[in-house]
Structure formats: C-alpha cells, structure tokens
Amino acid sequence: MLRIAVQKSGRLYDHSIQLLKECGIEINNGNRQLKAVAFNFPVEIYFLRDDDIPQYVYDGVADLGFVGENVVYEKNKAVDTLARLGFGRCRLSIAVPKTMNYREVGDLSNLKIATSYTYLLQKFLEQKNIPAEIHEISGSVEIAPGIGLADAICDLVSSGSTLFTNGLKEVEVILESEAVLIAHRSLAEEKKELLQRLLMRIEAVKAARHNKYIMLNAPNDQLQNIAAVLPGMKSPTIVPLAEKGWSSVQSVVKENDFWEIIEKLKSYGAEGILVVPIEKMIL
Ligand code: PRT
Ligand code: ZN
C-alpha cells in the first residue's frame, strides 16, 4: 500500500484529486476524513495541511506527497522530487509599495520585509549580500506595508491582482513554483513498484494534456509536406479516401505548436481538419 499525502483543503486539493482520478485512482472523501483508501489501486490518501507534507514524507509517515515546490524548498527536508504535476503554478516574489523608486536589488538594503517564507527569503538576501530585516508573519502578508508593519513583502504571486489591490509592485522573483510529487528517500521494494505504476500513469495524463489528436483530409500531391509537419508519435497514419487523389491523415500534435501547424496544413491544402482531446497517452 502506498500512502500519499495531499492538501486537505485549499488551492491544490481539487487538482490533486482530479489528477488521481485521471490516473484511475478513485477515492471517496465525502465527509472530508483525514484518511481515505482508494477503491481500485493500493493507495491510501492522507489529507494534511500543505506545510506539513514535506515533514510527513521525510519521516516516512507518508510515502509520497503532492505539494507546491515553494513549500518543499522552504521546509528544506531531504525528500526526492519525482515529477512536476502541471498545476498550482505561482512564483515567490518580493514586492514593494508602488510609490517606491525601486531600481535594483540593492534598494532592499535595510528594509523590513514581511514574509512567511523566512528560509527562502534569507537565502536570497544572503546570496545577493543584502542586509535586510525579515519579519515573519503567517498570513495576510500583503497588508503589512499598508499598516506600517513592514516596508516590503515576500509572498506567492499568481495573477498579481492581490499585489495590485494592495498598492504593491513585484520587483524580484525568488522562485518559480508548481505542484510536484515528492517521495520518501528509502521506499521498500514493494512500494517502489507501485510508485513506478503511478508515475507511468501521471506521465500519461500529463502527455495527454499537452497533446491533441488531429485528423484531416489531404490532396495526395501534398502528403509529403503534410507528413513533415505532423511527426506524430512515430509517424502519421495515412489512409486513402474513397475519393480519388485524396487521403485521410491522422496524427498527434503538441498543444504549444498547434496553431502554427494548422496554418501550415491549410497552406498545403488540408481540409476537414478535426482536433480532439486525448484521454491518455502512453509513450
Ligand atoms: O491550509 P493550508 O496550509 O494547507 O493551505 P495554505 O493556505 O497554506 O495554501 P493555499 O491553499 O493558499 O496554497 C497552496 C499552494 O498553492 C501554495 O503553496 C502554492 O504552491 C500554490 N499557489 C498557487 C498559491 C497561489 N498560486 C497563490 N496565488 N498559493 C497561494 N497564493 C496566494 C498568495 O499567497 C496571495 O495571497 O494568492 C494570493 C496571490 O494571488 P494573485 O492571483 O492575486 O497574485
Ligand atoms: Zn499552508
């Protein structure tokens, strides 16, 4: 049995449960218990505060954890990071009042900076050789400058709207973060096998999210050009159509390159282009 720690409630909860579900691991956490056993995979889920997850995994009370990299680095526990999970993206940044004339990192010298990320902030300031005072607070960091508690803050940012509404501007990015899968350093053999199965599923779900299945009709005299822009997993599938001189082409495209590819395909005379999501992709 693998024991996986996930956030009990908060920004990572829904995505964590969704990812497990897409990996074929269903749990019933109807009344929000602290522990739940999956129906169809030997996995037990522990619901914890995100800040506690690295410690539980380090101690081996949980084998694995889904948690933000920001928390992993801040807690600085010796655990292995095995996969990036593609959700919970944010950055840990320093922000100052927007009225401040900020030019460079040296301008932070002798300021009082409020944060709940004392370890990462201290490391950053030491690296840059900046003498500044760190004021630890556990929540609502963004209001600290407004109430005279600090001159600047160091906190997580995603859209930037919290900073904006509090009259702050982002001036230094300390860390880019997303949710990751962490693991205890010495897992038993039987757990390692389960972990490999889980990792394969996570990679399949991630690959599927980043790829689309594409089908189109192409004039035969353009097949070479079209095949060249559609490398697919190995190479595209090409099947003749009932109409003479035409073929159906099927392949897989990366979401990032998607529009560029469509434009090229159209310029080569492709017609009836259909694009469908992929449920799972096993490479
Ligand atoms: O109760 P528990 O301790 O488990 O939860 P928590 O309150 O500590 O964490 P939670 O649920 O807020 O966040 C969990 C994780 O989500 C974080 O550790 C990050 O890895 C990730 N994450 C992604 C974020 C954000 N984006 C985020 N924007 N965590 C927090 N924020 C906050 C930020 O602190 C600030 O208050 O959102 C505000 C800024 O957002 P924008 O969009 O206005 O910039
Ligand atoms: Zn937390």
PDB file of all heavy atoms in Angstrom, residues 50-52 54-55 67-79 92 115-124 134 136-137 154-156 174-175 177 180:
ATOM      1  N   ASP A  50      -0.742  21.737   3.722  1.00  0.00           N
ATOM      2  CA  ASP A  50       0.369  21.617   2.767  1.00  0.00           C
ATOM      3  C   ASP A  50       1.735  21.781   3.442  1.00  0.00           C
ATOM      4  O   ASP A  50       2.696  21.096   3.107  1.00  0.00           O
ATOM      5  CB  ASP A  50       0.204  22.571   1.570  1.00  0.00           C
ATOM      6  CG  ASP A  50       0.293  24.038   1.950  1.00  0.00           C
ATOM      7  OD1 ASP A  50       0.233  24.366   3.151  1.00  0.00           O
ATOM      8  OD2 ASP A  50       0.426  24.861   1.023  1.00  0.00           O
ATOM      9  N   ASP A  51       1.799  22.663   4.443  1.00  0.00           N
ATOM     10  CA  ASP A  51       3.078  22.931   5.123  1.00  0.00           C
ATOM     11  C   ASP A  51       3.641  21.691   5.824  1.00  0.00           C
ATOM     12  O   ASP A  51       4.843  21.596   6.060  1.00  0.00           O
ATOM     13  CB  ASP A  51       2.897  24.016   6.193  1.00  0.00           C
ATOM     14  CG  ASP A  51       2.095  25.176   5.678  1.00  0.00           C
ATOM     15  OD1 ASP A  51       0.865  25.006   5.446  1.00  0.00           O
ATOM     16  OD2 ASP A  51       2.684  26.230   5.455  1.00  0.00           O
ATOM     17  N   ASP A  52       2.765  20.756   6.188  1.00  0.00           N
ATOM     18  CA  ASP A  52       3.195  19.571   6.934  1.00  0.00           C
ATOM     19  C   ASP A  52       3.641  18.427   6.017  1.00  0.00           C
ATOM     20  O   ASP A  52       4.236  17.461   6.476  1.00  0.00           O
ATOM     21  CB  ASP A  52       2.048  19.069   7.827  1.00  0.00           C
ATOM     22  CG  ASP A  52       1.682  20.095   8.898  1.00  0.00           C
ATOM     23  OD1 ASP A  52       2.566  20.896   9.266  1.00  0.00           O
ATOM     24  OD2 ASP A  52       0.525  20.094   9.349  1.00  0.00           O
ATOM     25  N   PRO A  54       5.958  17.971   3.508  1.00  0.00           N
ATOM     26  CA  PRO A  54       7.366  17.549   3.403  1.00  0.00           C
ATOM     27  C   PRO A  54       7.863  16.787   4.645  1.00  0.00           C
ATOM     28  O   PRO A  54       8.573  15.790   4.519  1.00  0.00           O
ATOM     29  CB  PRO A  54       8.131  18.874   3.228  1.00  0.00           C
ATOM     30  CG  PRO A  54       7.127  19.789   2.612  1.00  0.00           C
ATOM     31  CD  PRO A  54       5.810  19.412   3.238  1.00  0.00           C
ATOM     32  N   GLN A  55       7.455  17.233   5.817  1.00  0.00           N
ATOM     33  CA  GLN A  55       7.879  16.568   7.053  1.00  0.00           C
ATOM     34  C   GLN A  55       7.327  15.135   7.133  1.00  0.00           C
ATOM     35  O   GLN A  55       8.065  14.199   7.453  1.00  0.00           O
ATOM     36  CB  GLN A  55       7.383  17.385   8.263  1.00  0.00           C
ATOM     37  CG  GLN A  55       7.751  16.789   9.608  1.00  0.00           C
ATOM     38  CD  GLN A  55       9.209  17.051   9.974  1.00  0.00           C
ATOM     39  OE1 GLN A  55       9.680  18.173   9.876  1.00  0.00           O
ATOM     40  NE2 GLN A  55       9.922  16.011  10.375  1.00  0.00           N
ATOM     41  N   VAL A  67       2.634  18.463  -3.454  1.00  0.00           N
ATOM     42  CA  VAL A  67       2.783  19.726  -2.727  1.00  0.00           C
ATOM     43  C   VAL A  67       3.519  20.749  -3.593  1.00  0.00           C
ATOM     44  O   VAL A  67       4.247  20.368  -4.525  1.00  0.00           O
ATOM     45  CB  VAL A  67       3.518  19.455  -1.381  1.00  0.00           C
ATOM     46  CG1 VAL A  67       4.948  19.013  -1.582  1.00  0.00           C
ATOM     47  CG2 VAL A  67       3.466  20.651  -0.447  1.00  0.00           C
ATOM     48  N   GLY A  68       3.327  22.026  -3.299  1.00  0.00           N
ATOM     49  CA  GLY A  68       3.996  23.085  -4.065  1.00  0.00           C
ATOM     50  C   GLY A  68       5.507  23.047  -3.833  1.00  0.00           C
ATOM     51  O   GLY A  68       5.965  22.827  -2.708  1.00  0.00           O
ATOM     52  N   GLU A  69       6.259  23.298  -4.905  1.00  0.00           N
ATOM     53  CA  GLU A  69       7.727  23.358  -4.760  1.00  0.00           C
ATOM     54  C   GLU A  69       8.129  24.426  -3.759  1.00  0.00           C
ATOM     55  O   GLU A  69       9.143  24.288  -3.065  1.00  0.00           O
ATOM     56  CB  GLU A  69       8.341  23.764  -6.107  1.00  0.00           C
ATOM     57  CG  GLU A  69       8.549  22.656  -7.062  1.00  0.00           C
ATOM     58  CD  GLU A  69       9.062  23.198  -8.376  1.00  0.00           C
ATOM     59  OE1 GLU A  69       8.365  24.032  -8.994  1.00  0.00           O
ATOM     60  OE2 GLU A  69      10.157  22.798  -8.779  1.00  0.00           O
ATOM     61  N   ASN A  70       7.355  25.516  -3.713  1.00  0.00           N
ATOM     62  CA  ASN A  70       7.644  26.589  -2.766  1.00  0.00           C
ATOM     63  C   ASN A  70       7.713  26.042  -1.340  1.00  0.00           C
ATOM     64  O   ASN A  70       8.601  26.404  -0.564  1.00  0.00           O
ATOM     65  CB  ASN A  70       6.591  27.703  -2.881  1.00  0.00           C
ATOM     66  CG  ASN A  70       5.160  27.198  -2.830  1.00  0.00           C
ATOM     67  OD1 ASN A  70       4.781  26.336  -3.611  1.00  0.00           O
ATOM     68  ND2 ASN A  70       4.377  27.701  -1.900  1.00  0.00           N
ATOM     69  N   VAL A  71       6.806  25.127  -1.006  1.00  0.00           N
ATOM     70  CA  VAL A  71       6.783  24.545   0.342  1.00  0.00           C
ATOM     71  C   VAL A  71       7.953  23.564   0.505  1.00  0.00           C
ATOM     72  O   VAL A  71       8.621  23.545   1.534  1.00  0.00           O
ATOM     73  CB  VAL A  71       5.421  23.854   0.609  1.00  0.00           C
ATOM     74  CG1 VAL A  71       5.433  23.126   1.934  1.00  0.00           C
ATOM     75  CG2 VAL A  71       4.295  24.877   0.574  1.00  0.00           C
ATOM     76  N   VAL A  72       8.218  22.790  -0.550  1.00  0.00           N
ATOM     77  CA  VAL A  72       9.323  21.824  -0.481  1.00  0.00           C
ATOM     78  C   VAL A  72      10.646  22.555  -0.203  1.00  0.00           C
ATOM     79  O   VAL A  72      11.407  22.171   0.687  1.00  0.00           O
ATOM     80  CB  VAL A  72       9.450  21.017  -1.803  1.00  0.00           C
ATOM     81  CG1 VAL A  72      10.622  20.048  -1.732  1.00  0.00           C
ATOM     82  CG2 VAL A  72       8.159  20.276  -2.103  1.00  0.00           C
ATOM     83  N   TYR A  73      10.896  23.612  -0.955  1.00  0.00           N
ATOM     84  CA  TYR A  73      12.162  24.357  -0.764  1.00  0.00           C
ATOM     85  C   TYR A  73      12.195  25.083   0.571  1.00  0.00           C
ATOM     86  O   TYR A  73      13.225  25.144   1.227  1.00  0.00           O
ATOM     87  CB  TYR A  73      12.386  25.353  -1.900  1.00  0.00           C
ATOM     88  CG  TYR A  73      12.772  24.683  -3.197  1.00  0.00           C
ATOM     89  CD1 TYR A  73      12.027  24.900  -4.352  1.00  0.00           C
ATOM     90  CD2 TYR A  73      13.875  23.844  -3.261  1.00  0.00           C
ATOM     91  CE1 TYR A  73      12.372  24.283  -5.549  1.00  0.00           C
ATOM     92  CE2 TYR A  73      14.222  23.224  -4.447  1.00  0.00           C
ATOM     93  CZ  TYR A  73      13.465  23.447  -5.588  1.00  0.00           C
ATOM     94  OH  TYR A  73      13.811  22.831  -6.754  1.00  0.00           O
ATOM     95  N   GLU A  74      11.059  25.653   0.980  1.00  0.00           N
ATOM     96  CA  GLU A  74      11.036  26.393   2.245  1.00  0.00           C
ATOM     97  C   GLU A  74      11.297  25.454   3.418  1.00  0.00           C
ATOM     98  O   GLU A  74      12.043  25.770   4.338  1.00  0.00           O
ATOM     99  CB  GLU A  74       9.694  27.124   2.402  1.00  0.00           C
ATOM    100  CG  GLU A  74       9.498  27.847   3.727  1.00  0.00           C
ATOM    101  CD  GLU A  74      10.463  29.018   3.957  1.00  0.00           C
ATOM    102  OE1 GLU A  74      10.973  29.575   2.973  1.00  0.00           O
ATOM    103  OE2 GLU A  74      10.710  29.353   5.132  1.00  0.00           O
ATOM    104  N   LYS A  75      10.684  24.268   3.374  1.00  0.00           N
ATOM    105  CA  LYS A  75      10.842  23.336   4.504  1.00  0.00           C
ATOM    106  C   LYS A  75      12.202  22.654   4.480  1.00  0.00           C
ATOM    107  O   LYS A  75      12.673  22.165   5.500  1.00  0.00           O
ATOM    108  CB  LYS A  75       9.722  22.284   4.502  1.00  0.00           C
ATOM    109  CG  LYS A  75       8.322  22.872   4.622  1.00  0.00           C
ATOM    110  CD  LYS A  75       8.134  23.593   5.946  1.00  0.00           C
ATOM    111  CE  LYS A  75       6.791  24.297   5.992  1.00  0.00           C
ATOM    112  NZ  LYS A  75       6.635  25.160   7.153  1.00  0.00           N
ATOM    113  N   ASN A  76      12.795  22.584   3.269  1.00  0.00           N
ATOM    114  CA  ASN A  76      14.163  22.092   3.128  1.00  0.00           C
ATOM    115  C   ASN A  76      14.398  20.719   3.769  1.00  0.00           C
ATOM    116  O   ASN A  76      15.359  20.531   4.510  1.00  0.00           O
ATOM    117  CB  ASN A  76      15.119  23.137   3.735  1.00  0.00           C
ATOM    118  CG  ASN A  76      16.548  22.895   3.318  1.00  0.00           C
ATOM    119  OD1 ASN A  76      16.807  22.313   2.264  1.00  0.00           O
ATOM    120  ND2 ASN A  76      17.489  23.300   4.159  1.00  0.00           N
ATOM    121  N   LYS A  77      13.497  19.796   3.502  1.00  0.00           N
ATOM    122  CA  LYS A  77      13.650  18.426   4.023  1.00  0.00           C
ATOM    123  C   LYS A  77      14.255  17.560   2.921  1.00  0.00           C
ATOM    124  O   LYS A  77      14.006  17.798   1.740  1.00  0.00           O
ATOM    125  CB  LYS A  77      12.276  17.834   4.380  1.00  0.00           C
ATOM    126  CG  LYS A  77      11.548  18.601   5.455  1.00  0.00           C
ATOM    127  CD  LYS A  77      12.051  18.202   6.814  1.00  0.00           C
ATOM    128  CE  LYS A  77      11.410  19.019   7.897  1.00  0.00           C
ATOM    129  NZ  LYS A  77      12.323  19.868   8.645  1.00  0.00           N
ATOM    130  N   ALA A  78      14.997  16.546   3.329  1.00  0.00           N
ATOM    131  CA  ALA A  78      15.628  15.666   2.345  1.00  0.00           C
ATOM    132  C   ALA A  78      14.605  14.678   1.795  1.00  0.00           C
ATOM    133  O   ALA A  78      14.411  13.585   2.337  1.00  0.00           O
ATOM    134  CB  ALA A  78      16.786  14.925   2.997  1.00  0.00           C
ATOM    135  N   VAL A  79      13.896  15.098   0.751  1.00  0.00           N
ATOM    136  CA  VAL A  79      12.948  14.214   0.063  1.00  0.00           C
ATOM    137  C   VAL A  79      13.285  14.280  -1.425  1.00  0.00           C
ATOM    138  O   VAL A  79      13.950  15.215  -1.861  1.00  0.00           O
ATOM    139  CB  VAL A  79      11.474  14.662   0.284  1.00  0.00           C
ATOM    140  CG1 VAL A  79      11.058  14.477   1.731  1.00  0.00           C
ATOM    141  CG2 VAL A  79      11.245  16.107  -0.156  1.00  0.00           C
ATOM    142  N   LEU A  92       7.380  32.959  -6.047  1.00  0.00           N
ATOM    143  CA  LEU A  92       7.633  33.612  -4.766  1.00  0.00           C
ATOM    144  C   LEU A  92       8.408  34.884  -5.096  1.00  0.00           C
ATOM    145  O   LEU A  92       9.492  34.809  -5.675  1.00  0.00           O
ATOM    146  CB  LEU A  92       8.445  32.696  -3.857  1.00  0.00           C
ATOM    147  CG  LEU A  92       8.776  33.274  -2.481  1.00  0.00           C
ATOM    148  CD1 LEU A  92       7.506  33.433  -1.639  1.00  0.00           C
ATOM    149  CD2 LEU A  92       9.765  32.387  -1.746  1.00  0.00           C
ATOM    150  N   THR A 115       7.173  38.238   5.627  1.00  0.00           N
ATOM    151  CA  THR A 115       7.004  37.012   4.834  1.00  0.00           C
ATOM    152  C   THR A 115       6.659  35.825   5.715  1.00  0.00           C
ATOM    153  O   THR A 115       6.903  35.851   6.930  1.00  0.00           O
ATOM    154  CB  THR A 115       8.302  36.679   4.057  1.00  0.00           C
ATOM    155  OG1 THR A 115       8.015  35.645   3.114  1.00  0.00           O
ATOM    156  CG2 THR A 115       9.430  36.222   4.980  1.00  0.00           C
ATOM    157  N   SER A 116       6.101  34.770   5.104  1.00  0.00           N
ATOM    158  CA  SER A 116       6.040  33.505   5.822  1.00  0.00           C
ATOM    159  C   SER A 116       7.074  32.539   5.227  1.00  0.00           C
ATOM    160  O   SER A 116       7.159  31.387   5.623  1.00  0.00           O
ATOM    161  CB  SER A 116       4.626  32.915   5.776  1.00  0.00           C
ATOM    162  OG  SER A 116       4.026  33.130   4.547  1.00  0.00           O
ATOM    163  N   TYR A 117       7.853  33.027   4.270  1.00  0.00           N
ATOM    164  CA  TYR A 117       8.907  32.211   3.643  1.00  0.00           C
ATOM    165  C   TYR A 117      10.274  32.692   4.125  1.00  0.00           C
ATOM    166  O   TYR A 117      11.093  33.176   3.342  1.00  0.00           O
ATOM    167  CB  TYR A 117       8.782  32.289   2.118  1.00  0.00           C
ATOM    168  CG  TYR A 117       7.590  31.506   1.638  1.00  0.00           C
ATOM    169  CD1 TYR A 117       6.321  32.091   1.610  1.00  0.00           C
ATOM    170  CD2 TYR A 117       7.708  30.179   1.285  1.00  0.00           C
ATOM    171  CE1 TYR A 117       5.208  31.362   1.221  1.00  0.00           C
ATOM    172  CE2 TYR A 117       6.610  29.441   0.887  1.00  0.00           C
ATOM    173  CZ  TYR A 117       5.362  30.040   0.860  1.00  0.00           C
ATOM    174  OH  TYR A 117       4.275  29.306   0.486  1.00  0.00           O
ATOM    175  N   THR A 118      10.522  32.558   5.433  1.00  0.00           N
ATOM    176  CA  THR A 118      11.739  33.134   6.014  1.00  0.00           C
ATOM    177  C   THR A 118      13.001  32.443   5.481  1.00  0.00           C
ATOM    178  O   THR A 118      14.003  33.086   5.222  1.00  0.00           O
ATOM    179  CB  THR A 118      11.721  33.043   7.548  1.00  0.00           C
ATOM    180  OG1 THR A 118      11.414  31.709   7.900  1.00  0.00           O
ATOM    181  CG2 THR A 118      10.670  33.962   8.142  1.00  0.00           C
ATOM    182  N   TYR A 119      12.942  31.123   5.323  1.00  0.00           N
ATOM    183  CA  TYR A 119      14.138  30.394   4.895  1.00  0.00           C
ATOM    184  C   TYR A 119      14.558  30.827   3.487  1.00  0.00           C
ATOM    185  O   TYR A 119      15.708  31.158   3.246  1.00  0.00           O
ATOM    186  CB  TYR A 119      13.877  28.881   4.959  1.00  0.00           C
ATOM    187  CG  TYR A 119      15.018  28.060   4.402  1.00  0.00           C
ATOM    188  CD1 TYR A 119      16.188  27.878   5.138  1.00  0.00           C
ATOM    189  CD2 TYR A 119      14.929  27.488   3.133  1.00  0.00           C
ATOM    190  CE1 TYR A 119      17.244  27.151   4.613  1.00  0.00           C
ATOM    191  CE2 TYR A 119      15.978  26.751   2.606  1.00  0.00           C
ATOM    192  CZ  TYR A 119      17.131  26.580   3.345  1.00  0.00           C
ATOM    193  OH  TYR A 119      18.174  25.867   2.819  1.00  0.00           O
ATOM    194  N   LEU A 120      13.585  30.823   2.562  1.00  0.00           N
ATOM    195  CA  LEU A 120      13.923  31.169   1.176  1.00  0.00           C
ATOM    196  C   LEU A 120      14.317  32.631   1.039  1.00  0.00           C
ATOM    197  O   LEU A 120      15.224  32.963   0.278  1.00  0.00           O
ATOM    198  CB  LEU A 120      12.737  30.847   0.253  1.00  0.00           C
ATOM    199  CG  LEU A 120      12.524  29.359   0.002  1.00  0.00           C
ATOM    200  CD1 LEU A 120      11.247  29.125  -0.791  1.00  0.00           C
ATOM    201  CD2 LEU A 120      13.713  28.771  -0.752  1.00  0.00           C
ATOM    202  N   LEU A 121      13.638  33.506   1.792  1.00  0.00           N
ATOM    203  CA  LEU A 121      13.972  34.928   1.714  1.00  0.00           C
ATOM    204  C   LEU A 121      15.386  35.168   2.242  1.00  0.00           C
ATOM    205  O   LEU A 121      16.187  35.859   1.625  1.00  0.00           O
ATOM    206  CB  LEU A 121      12.944  35.767   2.487  1.00  0.00           C
ATOM    207  CG  LEU A 121      13.250  37.266   2.549  1.00  0.00           C
ATOM    208  CD1 LEU A 121      13.360  37.874   1.147  1.00  0.00           C
ATOM    209  CD2 LEU A 121      12.171  38.014   3.357  1.00  0.00           C
ATOM    210  N   GLN A 122      15.682  34.531   3.381  1.00  0.00           N
ATOM    211  CA  GLN A 122      17.006  34.728   3.964  1.00  0.00           C
ATOM    212  C   GLN A 122      18.108  34.261   3.000  1.00  0.00           C
ATOM    213  O   GLN A 122      19.116  34.934   2.806  1.00  0.00           O
ATOM    214  CB  GLN A 122      17.109  33.965   5.276  1.00  0.00           C
ATOM    215  CG  GLN A 122      18.482  34.120   5.900  1.00  0.00           C
ATOM    216  CD  GLN A 122      18.432  33.991   7.408  1.00  0.00           C
ATOM    217  OE1 GLN A 122      17.401  33.625   7.977  1.00  0.00           O
ATOM    218  NE2 GLN A 122      19.517  34.309   8.058  1.00  0.00           N
ATOM    219  N   LYS A 123      17.863  33.101   2.376  1.00  0.00           N
ATOM    220  CA  LYS A 123      18.844  32.569   1.433  1.00  0.00           C
ATOM    221  C   LYS A 123      19.065  33.546   0.275  1.00  0.00           C
ATOM    222  O   LYS A 123      20.188  33.811  -0.138  1.00  0.00           O
ATOM    223  CB  LYS A 123      18.331  31.231   0.895  1.00  0.00           C
ATOM    224  CG  LYS A 123      19.384  30.163   0.892  1.00  0.00           C
ATOM    225  CD  LYS A 123      18.817  28.810   0.612  1.00  0.00           C
ATOM    226  CE  LYS A 123      18.880  28.486  -0.862  1.00  0.00           C
ATOM    227  NZ  LYS A 123      18.372  27.199  -1.228  1.00  0.00           N
ATOM    228  N   PHE A 124      17.948  34.083  -0.235  1.00  0.00           N
ATOM    229  CA  PHE A 124      18.031  35.036  -1.343  1.00  0.00           C
ATOM    230  C   PHE A 124      18.830  36.273  -0.932  1.00  0.00           C
ATOM    231  O   PHE A 124      19.736  36.718  -1.651  1.00  0.00           O
ATOM    232  CB  PHE A 124      16.611  35.432  -1.779  1.00  0.00           C
ATOM    233  CG  PHE A 124      16.563  36.506  -2.825  1.00  0.00           C
ATOM    234  CD1 PHE A 124      16.734  36.209  -4.172  1.00  0.00           C
ATOM    235  CD2 PHE A 124      16.328  37.835  -2.468  1.00  0.00           C
ATOM    236  CE1 PHE A 124      16.685  37.208  -5.138  1.00  0.00           C
ATOM    237  CE2 PHE A 124      16.287  38.842  -3.430  1.00  0.00           C
ATOM    238  CZ  PHE A 124      16.467  38.525  -4.768  1.00  0.00           C
ATOM    239  N   ILE A 134      14.101  40.499   8.340  1.00  0.00           N
ATOM    240  CA  ILE A 134      12.976  39.641   7.957  1.00  0.00           C
ATOM    241  C   ILE A 134      11.973  39.609   9.098  1.00  0.00           C
ATOM    242  O   ILE A 134      12.328  39.331  10.242  1.00  0.00           O
ATOM    243  CB  ILE A 134      13.470  38.215   7.642  1.00  0.00           C
ATOM    244  CG1 ILE A 134      14.438  38.264   6.456  1.00  0.00           C
ATOM    245  CG2 ILE A 134      12.286  37.289   7.353  1.00  0.00           C
ATOM    246  CD1 ILE A 134      15.050  36.927   6.111  1.00  0.00           C
ATOM    247  N   GLU A 136       8.693  37.756  10.285  1.00  0.00           N
ATOM    248  CA  GLU A 136       7.880  36.576   9.965  1.00  0.00           C
ATOM    249  C   GLU A 136       6.421  36.784  10.347  1.00  0.00           C
ATOM    250  O   GLU A 136       6.107  37.101  11.488  1.00  0.00           O
ATOM    251  CB  GLU A 136       8.422  35.350  10.707  1.00  0.00           C
ATOM    252  CG  GLU A 136       7.614  34.099  10.384  1.00  0.00           C
ATOM    253  CD  GLU A 136       8.235  32.811  10.901  1.00  0.00           C
ATOM    254  OE1 GLU A 136       9.247  32.885  11.645  1.00  0.00           O
ATOM    255  OE2 GLU A 136       7.702  31.742  10.558  1.00  0.00           O
ATOM    256  N   ILE A 137       5.530  36.619   9.365  1.00  0.00           N
ATOM    257  CA  ILE A 137       4.097  36.571   9.682  1.00  0.00           C
ATOM    258  C   ILE A 137       3.484  35.406   8.919  1.00  0.00           C
ATOM    259  O   ILE A 137       3.999  35.004   7.880  1.00  0.00           O
ATOM    260  CB  ILE A 137       3.330  37.890   9.368  1.00  0.00           C
ATOM    261  CG1 ILE A 137       3.724  38.480   8.019  1.00  0.00           C
ATOM    262  CG2 ILE A 137       3.473  38.903  10.470  1.00  0.00           C
ATOM    263  CD1 ILE A 137       2.948  39.760   7.711  1.00  0.00           C
ATOM    264  N   CYS A 154       7.460  39.474   0.928  1.00  0.00           N
ATOM    265  CA  CYS A 154       7.905  38.372   0.066  1.00  0.00           C
ATOM    266  C   CYS A 154       6.801  37.336   0.162  1.00  0.00           C
ATOM    267  O   CYS A 154       6.543  36.788   1.238  1.00  0.00           O
ATOM    268  CB  CYS A 154       9.226  37.839   0.589  1.00  0.00           C
ATOM    269  SG  CYS A 154       9.708  36.288  -0.163  1.00  0.00           S
ATOM    270  N   ASP A 155       6.076  37.115  -0.952  1.00  0.00           N
ATOM    271  CA  ASP A 155       4.919  36.215  -0.902  1.00  0.00           C
ATOM    272  C   ASP A 155       4.678  35.586  -2.273  1.00  0.00           C
ATOM    273  O   ASP A 155       5.305  35.974  -3.258  1.00  0.00           O
ATOM    274  CB  ASP A 155       3.674  37.014  -0.460  1.00  0.00           C
ATOM    275  CG  ASP A 155       2.539  36.096   0.035  1.00  0.00           C
ATOM    276  OD1 ASP A 155       2.787  34.883   0.241  1.00  0.00           O
ATOM    277  OD2 ASP A 155       1.422  36.600   0.205  1.00  0.00           O
ATOM    278  N   LEU A 156       3.753  34.642  -2.302  1.00  0.00           N
ATOM    279  CA  LEU A 156       3.407  33.988  -3.568  1.00  0.00           C
ATOM    280  C   LEU A 156       2.542  34.925  -4.408  1.00  0.00           C
ATOM    281  O   LEU A 156       1.709  35.656  -3.879  1.00  0.00           O
ATOM    282  CB  LEU A 156       2.627  32.704  -3.305  1.00  0.00           C
ATOM    283  CG  LEU A 156       3.358  31.646  -2.494  1.00  0.00           C
ATOM    284  CD1 LEU A 156       2.448  30.457  -2.239  1.00  0.00           C
ATOM    285  CD2 LEU A 156       4.631  31.200  -3.210  1.00  0.00           C
ATOM    286  N   ILE A 174      11.939  35.259  -6.625  1.00  0.00           N
ATOM    287  CA  ILE A 174      12.898  34.391  -5.920  1.00  0.00           C
ATOM    288  C   ILE A 174      12.812  32.955  -6.433  1.00  0.00           C
ATOM    289  O   ILE A 174      13.796  32.235  -6.513  1.00  0.00           O
ATOM    290  CB  ILE A 174      12.617  34.435  -4.403  1.00  0.00           C
ATOM    291  CG1 ILE A 174      12.903  35.842  -3.865  1.00  0.00           C
ATOM    292  CG2 ILE A 174      13.420  33.393  -3.658  1.00  0.00           C
ATOM    293  CD1 ILE A 174      12.789  35.953  -2.359  1.00  0.00           C
ATOM    294  N   LEU A 175      11.599  32.531  -6.785  1.00  0.00           N
ATOM    295  CA  LEU A 175      11.388  31.123  -7.150  1.00  0.00           C
ATOM    296  C   LEU A 175      10.148  30.985  -8.028  1.00  0.00           C
ATOM    297  O   LEU A 175       9.140  31.613  -7.751  1.00  0.00           O
ATOM    298  CB  LEU A 175      11.159  30.341  -5.846  1.00  0.00           C
ATOM    299  CG  LEU A 175      10.854  28.862  -5.938  1.00  0.00           C
ATOM    300  CD1 LEU A 175      12.150  28.096  -6.123  1.00  0.00           C
ATOM    301  CD2 LEU A 175      10.166  28.371  -4.668  1.00  0.00           C
ATOM    302  N   SER A 177       7.325  28.258  -9.157  1.00  0.00           N
ATOM    303  CA  SER A 177       6.886  27.032  -8.490  1.00  0.00           C
ATOM    304  C   SER A 177       5.669  26.395  -9.156  1.00  0.00           C
ATOM    305  O   SER A 177       4.872  27.078  -9.789  1.00  0.00           O
ATOM    306  CB  SER A 177       6.541  27.387  -7.038  1.00  0.00           C
ATOM    307  OG  SER A 177       5.989  26.298  -6.361  1.00  0.00           O
ATOM    308  N   VAL A 180       4.423  19.470  -7.168  1.00  0.00           N
ATOM    309  CA  VAL A 180       5.315  18.364  -7.545  1.00  0.00           C
ATOM    310  C   VAL A 180       4.964  17.123  -6.730  1.00  0.00           C
ATOM    311  O   VAL A 180       4.274  17.206  -5.708  1.00  0.00           O
ATOM    312  CB  VAL A 180       6.808  18.723  -7.315  1.00  0.00           C
ATOM    313  CG1 VAL A 180       7.302  19.744  -8.323  1.00  0.00           C
ATOM    314  CG2 VAL A 180       7.065  19.221  -5.896  1.00  0.00           C
TER     315      VAL A 180
END
